[in-house]
């Protein structure tokens, strides 16, 4: 039994050595890479979505104007137009496995503001467009890329990054002299990508990534390696 275990372990060791040698022979040497991608369900998209739900509820409650209990009005949002998360990325490879760099990401949303007026005495409700609102998010995330497999036409990798996001909000009422408000906030942000897959020519690759953070749960794009 011990002899069988010994030969089994020895066989596994020789297989590992052979695999490592093959990996070394087929390793593809590049120092720089730049990429452009589109991500979905990112950190700032989720956070601004939750903030929108809160803003609408608070607005409907706190901006209500009562006139003898007969007339009430409040603001709400609608007719949204979304800009998906667009990611630009760069890495410099300091070794066969480790690349240092990071990415910049942008997403946004434009929408209309509506004023709804309820007249209880007449039983009528009027909803009119009253302004425009926008949310734009810009993120800077330094990151480390780990290339577990770097071949001439295919690669497997992981990424880990931490940085910040700038959240810009703007609301402007259409009425003359209406409120024109701006706000900016800064939040910490991150990206964890357990699995990335790329394939193509030695220079140009398409890629697909699965992870969590500001590049999204899923992202895809094109990469240039040189």
């Amino acid at each position: 039994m011990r002899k069988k275990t010994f030969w089994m372990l020895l066989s596994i060791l020789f297989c590992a050595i052979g695999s490592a040698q093959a990996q070394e022979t087929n390793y593809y040497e590049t120092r720089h890479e730049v990429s452009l991608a589109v991500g979905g369900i990112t950190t700032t998209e989720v956070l601004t979505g939750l903030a929108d739900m809160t803003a609408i509820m608070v607005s409907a409650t706190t901006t209500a104007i009562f006139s003898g209990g007969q007339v009430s009005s409040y603001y709400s949002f609608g007719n949204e137009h979304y800009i998906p998360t667009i990611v630009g990325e760069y890495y410099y490879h300091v070794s066969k496995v480790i690349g240092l760099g990071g990415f910049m990401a942008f997403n946004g949303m434009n929408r209309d503001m509506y004023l709804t007026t309820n007249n209880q005495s007449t039983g009528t409700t009027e909803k009119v467009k009253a302004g425009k609102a926008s949310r734009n998010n810009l993120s800077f995330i330094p990151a480390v890329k780990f290339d577990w497999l770097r071949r001439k036409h295919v690669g497997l990798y992981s990424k880990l990054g931490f940085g910040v996001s700038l959240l810009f909000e703007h609301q402007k009422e259409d009425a003359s002299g209406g409120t024109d408000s701006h706000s900016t906030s800064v939040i910490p942000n991150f990206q964890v990508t357990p699995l990335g897959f790329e394939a193509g020519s030695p220079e140009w690759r398409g890629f697909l990534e699965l992870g969590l953070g500001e590049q999204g749960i899923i992202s895809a794009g094109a990469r240039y390696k040189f």
Side-chain angles (χ1 to χ4, degrees), residues 3-179:
K3 288 184 178 181
K4 289 183 179 180
T5 303
F6 171 77
W7 286 113
M8 183 180 296
L9 292 174
L10 190 62
S11 298
I12 293 173
L13 178 61
F14 278 121
C15 288
I17 293 173
S19 176
Q21 290 176 341
Q23 178 91 357
E24 180 72 19
T25 301
N26 292 303
Y27 167 77
Y28 183 59
E29 178 71 42
T30 56
R31 285 292 182 183
H32 308 272
E33 62 178 71
V34 292
S35 62
L36 186 65
V38 176
I41 317 179
T42 67
T43 307
T44 52
E45 287 176 339
V46 172
L47 290 177
T48 54
L50 294 174
D52 286 340
M53 293 173 59
T54 304
I56 292 174
M57 290 188 295
V58 171
S59 177
T61 302
T62 62
T63 66
I65 303 170
F66 295 95
S67 177
Q70 297 300 311
V71 179
S72 64
S73 62
Y74 61 90
Y75 279 107
S76 61
F77 301 112
N79 194 27
E80 294 91 354
H81 298 281
Y82 294 91
I83 302 171
T85 298
I86 302 170
V87 182
E89 196 167 16
Y90 169 80
Y91 290 96
Y92 175 77
H93 289 274
V94 297
S95 72
K96 294 180 179 181
V97 175
I98 298 176
L100 302 178
F103 65 88
M104 181 173 65
F106 174 83
N107 61 55
M109 175 182 61
N110 298 307
R111 56 190 175 176
D112 293 328
M113 297 169 57
Y114 292 92
L115 180 64
T116 300
T117 302
N118 297 316
N119 192 321
Q120 297 181 17
S121 61
T122 62
T124 59
T125 299
E126 182 183 19
K127 183 176 182 179
V128 297
K129 182 177 172 297
K132 285 189 173 292
S134 64
R135 287 180 183 269
N136 295 306
N137 307 310
L138 184 62
S139 302
F140 302 91
I141 312 292
V144 181
K145 184 169 181 277
F146 304 95
D147 284 275
W148 309 120
L149 178 68
R150 295 190 71 195
R151 301 290 178 86
K152 205 163 188 177
H153 297 284
V154 69
L156 293 173
Y157 57 89
S158 301
K159 292 188 299 188
L160 179 65
F162 297 93
V164 297
S165 292
L166 307 177
L167 281 58
F168 306 96
E169 184 172 5
H170 178 216
Q171 294 184 9
K172 176 66 172 69
E173 291 181 286
D174 290 337
S176 178
T179 301

